[in-house]
Amino acid sequence: MSTQEMNMRKNKKAGDRDMTMTMSKGIEEKFYNPLTEEDIRAIHDTSMRVFSEIGIKVSNERARDLFAAADATVDHRTGVVRLEPGLVMELIRQAPEMIMLYGQKPEHTLEVGGRNVYMGTGGTALYVMDAGSDERRPAELSDLKNISRIVDAMENIHLFMLPVFPSDVPAEHVDVNRFGVALTYCSKHVMGGVYSVEGVRRVMKMAEMIAGSKEALRERPLVSMVTCCGISPFTLDDKYSELTIEVAGAGIPVVTPVEPLCGATAPVTLAGNLVVQNVDTLAGVMLTQLVNPGTPVFYGCISSISDMKDMKYLSGAVEMGLMNAAASQLARHYGLPIYATAGMSDSKTLDAQAGYESAITSLLVALAGGNFIHDAAGFLEFCMCASLEKYVVDNEILGMVMRAVRGIEVNDDTLAFGLLQEIGAGGHFVACRHTRKFMRREHYKPTLSDRATREEWEKSGAPDTKERARLKVMSLLAEPEQSYLDDTVRERIRKEITGIDGRFV
């Protein structure tokens, strides 16, 4: 059996993994289900009707040939492909139910799927807001370095998705430099969008150097890729289908997310949007399995709504949270891990709106079991701007969200009847061993929120949340830089990888 086959089998059945391996265990969701079983069945049945009666437009010739070889009905003149429900389900079932993602530190190993919940950053913003500023400017590669260092220190951000598009890097070198900087300065798993086949190949070559070999990277993938091949409604793009074919052929984890917008590229109703969402992302999933059966692939959802006043995209709407929560249920229905979306804000500054929009959507999707919730930290202004301070604020929000996901543990020890009997009426529990035993794991301990008295707060200068976040960012960036690549690997990358910026890698 090949290494790739062994890795696919391991991904398929989490129980086959080495239980001695250190990993960051995702917390299992158990609370919020916006869809009933009947709702899920209705969305599924309608989606299957779309595949068989309407079809999907497949713009890439290689992709059309793959569908045709699998006995789909292909109209090569129009590019429309129709599939019967049995074929759709046959292809989807080839994808693994669980996906293992690895960081450069063992504790950043993630088991993604089922009801496990992880939080991550997102991409790709064009602008950056410096700490202490409300002005945005075009993102540069140095910003990605700073964000990598900040995210590396944020305990409630489990996975690093490349968040900005550097304006100071030639387009043909963007892929390899974005991944290169992130892998240098962040020890967590790195996921990122890709923009060219050559870029994918160079990133793969670099990641193989870091992992130790081609086989080692497939066995323990340090990177995963996002190929946005689906364009709503019901279209697979030519260029991005080619990228999907390239990544799936390499056998590393991939997500083919789609972003239907209510009232624009999908019906204005949330249910209608979910049908478009379901069809479009399953089309991408099927393409990966046609290329390479068993490819680790996510069900990808970025569904949101349009502002019906001017048709612009909205990122902080509660409906985005609702639809991504519902998509998490749909992904479980198909036995696929989900790449969901939450945590962004339409605010232009780090204010109360940024806080409540980010918190509400993150909480909804996490409580619904979103396996990897991307965009959950750092983004303002319709996902166009990354704020250094917001990574710190969102880390606090996500700590509270994950505490809510964990829920309340009820057993004889936590019910504490024996202690209640011992203390009795009118007593207190401050000095009890039971209190010392449970207080740290029962209660979330904030790292940013202010819980001082007014007198203590005023004595410290009366800093608000934004100021405390700014101070945290400045403190982190003032620390000595740490590279997670040894000197030998870095030198190889500089010599052998075309277009790499040696200032940052």
Side-chain angles (χ1 to χ4, degrees):
M1 181 180 293
S2 69
T3 300
Q4 186 173 337
E5 288 170 331
M6 291 174 65
N7 191 41
M8 289 174 183
R9 186 166 291 182
K10 178 184 69 177
N11 280 332
K12 189 72 173 178
K13 296 182 179 180
D16 293 342
R17 71 182 186 276
D18 179 4
M19 294 304 293
T20 64
M21 179 177 62
T22 303
M23 69 169 61
S24 171
K25 177 64 177 173
I27 298 175
E28 291 192 2
E29 165 281 332
K30 54 186 176 183
F31 297 107
Y32 177 58
N33 294 307
L35 299 177
T36 66
E37 287 301 318
E38 292 77 11
D39 295 336
I40 292 171
R41 175 56 58 186
I43 293 169
H44 168 80
D45 289 345
T46 306
S47 300
M48 294 303 109
R49 288 192 65 190
V50 171
F51 280 120
S52 62
E53 298 177 29
I54 300 173
I56 55 174
K57 183 176 181 179
V58 180
S59 304
N60 182 274
E61 184 177 359
R62 291 177 67 192
R64 285 198 301 272
D65 290 342
L66 288 167
F67 278 104
D71 293 330
T73 301
V74 178
D75 185 330
H76 288 282
R77 182 181 60 83
T78 63
V80 172
V81 174
R82 292 180 176 83
L83 303 94
E84 292 303 315
L87 177 57
V88 173
M89 296 307 297
E90 177 186 338
L91 291 171
I92 291 168
R93 290 190 186 108
Q94 294 177 16
E97 297 173 352
M98 306 291 288
I99 297 177
M100 302 298 294
L101 301 178
Y102 297 83
Q104 295 184 73
K105 289 183 177 180
E107 61 265 33
H108 296 318
T109 300
L110 310 178
E111 181 185 30
V112 187
R115 290 179 176 264
N116 291 348
V117 176
Y118 298 101
M119 298 293 187
T121 56
T124 304
L126 301 178
Y127 301 97
V128 164
M129 190 178 290
D130 292 312
S133 173
D134 280 332
E135 300 296 321
R136 73 179 195 183
R137 57 172 176 77
E140 298 181 355
L141 198 58
S142 59
D143 296 312
L144 181 56
K145 174 183 175 180
N146 288 338
I147 295 170
S148 300
R149 295 179 63 202
I150 292 168
V151 169
D152 195 56
M154 298 292 104
E155 67 275 17
N156 299 313
I157 301 176
H158 310 112
L159 186 152
F160 188 36
M161 184 171 170
L162 302 174
V164 295
F165 191 94
S167 62
D168 58 339
V169 177
E172 64 270 24
H173 302 322
V174 162
D175 288 335
V176 73
N177 277 290
R178 293 208 312 151
F179 275 91
V181 168
L183 289 165
T184 302
Y185 295 102
C186 187
S187 59
K188 299 174 182 181
H189 181 85
V190 176
M191 175 185 281
V194 287
Y195 302 98
S196 72
V197 169
E198 180 58 32
V200 169
R201 292 171 180 169
R202 279 190 261 168
V203 171
M204 293 292 295
K205 182 179 179 181
M206 178 176 61
E208 288 164 2
M209 291 179 186
I210 297 169
S213 68
K214 181 176 181 178
E215 292 72 25
L217 180 64
R218 283 14 172 231
E219 180 67 21
R220 298 174 66 86
L222 301 172
V223 298
S224 52
M225 295 184 181
V226 182
T227 61
C228 301
C229 63
I231 300 176
S232 298
F234 313 149
T235 301
L236 289 180
D237 176 71
D238 185 5
K239 175 185 175 181
Y240 282 91
S241 290
E242 198 67 36
L243 290 175
T244 302
I245 291 169
E246 183 73 24
V247 177
I252 66 166
V254 62
V255 56
T256 59
V258 291
E259 192 172 20
L261 302 179
C262 288
T265 55
V268 74
T269 56
L270 304 195
N273 183 296
L274 287 169
V275 171
V276 175
Q277 159 67 45
N278 199 43
V279 169
D280 288 349
T281 196
L282 291 181
V285 169
M286 287 190 287
L287 178 58
T288 67
Q289 302 311 301
L290 289 168
V291 174
N292 187 6
T295 295
V297 61
F298 292 84
Y299 182 111
C301 179
I302 321 178
S303 292
S304 190
I305 67 172
S306 302
D307 187 332
M308 300 311 292
K309 293 184 299 183
D310 55 16
M311 301 309 297
K312 68 176 175 290
Y313 160 79
L314 295 177
S315 67
V318 67
E319 292 85 2
M320 169 177 258
L322 284 167
M323 288 187 291
N324 277 267
S328 300
Q329 290 182 261
L330 291 169
R332 281 197 297 276
H333 174 76
Y334 296 109
L336 295 169
I338 184 169
Y339 162 104
T341 307
M344 297 178 287
S345 174
D346 299 324
S347 178
K348 272 56 72 180
T349 187
L350 192 57
D351 58 5
Q353 178 183 341
Y356 63 68
E357 287 182 343
S358 298
I360 288 172
T361 57
S362 289
L363 187 62
L364 284 174
V365 183
L367 290 180
N371 302 133
F372 164 42
I373 303 173
H374 95 298
D375 286 346
F379 278 175
L380 293 168
E381 196 178 345
F382 319 109
C383 197
M384 292 176 62
C385 185
S387 161
L388 299 189
E389 293 151 321
K390 193 170 186 288
Y391 287 102
V392 176
V393 173
D394 286 334
N395 182 68
E396 186 84 301
I397 291 171
L398 298 180
M400 296 180 181
V401 167
M402 294 300 282
R403 178 62 188 91
V405 171
R406 184 156 62 90
I408 297 174
E409 181 182 6
V410 178
N411 55 42
D412 288 346
D413 211 4
T414 60
L415 290 168
F417 178 78
L419 178 63
L420 296 169
Q421 191 175 46
E422 176 187 337
I423 297 299
H428 70 79
F429 302 86
V430 175
C432 297
R433 174 181 289 183
H434 186 274
T435 300
R436 296 194 299 274
K437 176 181 177 181
F438 282 100
M439 65 181 185
R440 289 182 178 85
R441 77 184 201 216
E442 280 284 294
H443 305 165
Y444 173 70
K445 184 177 181 181
T447 58
L448 182 68
S449 301
D450 178 80
R451 289 181 170 177
T453 64
R454 173 170 286 276
E455 292 74 20
E456 293 169 331
W457 175 67
E458 289 175 344
K459 190 178 296 184
S460 68
D464 61 10
T465 301
K466 188 174 182 179
E467 174 62 10
R468 292 193 299 275
R470 185 190 71 82
L471 292 171
K472 179 68 173 178
V473 167
M474 301 311 293
S475 173
L476 287 171
L477 296 183
E479 293 178 3
E481 294 180 1
Q482 178 182 3
S483 169
Y484 290 102
L485 308 184
D486 65 44
D487 292 341
T488 302
V489 170
R490 291 184 77 173
E491 190 60 30
R492 272 196 74 193
I493 290 172
R494 288 168 178 165
K495 286 182 177 180
E496 299 180 29
I497 301 296
T498 302
I500 201 74
D501 191 325
R503 295 175 301 163
F504 301 108
V505 178

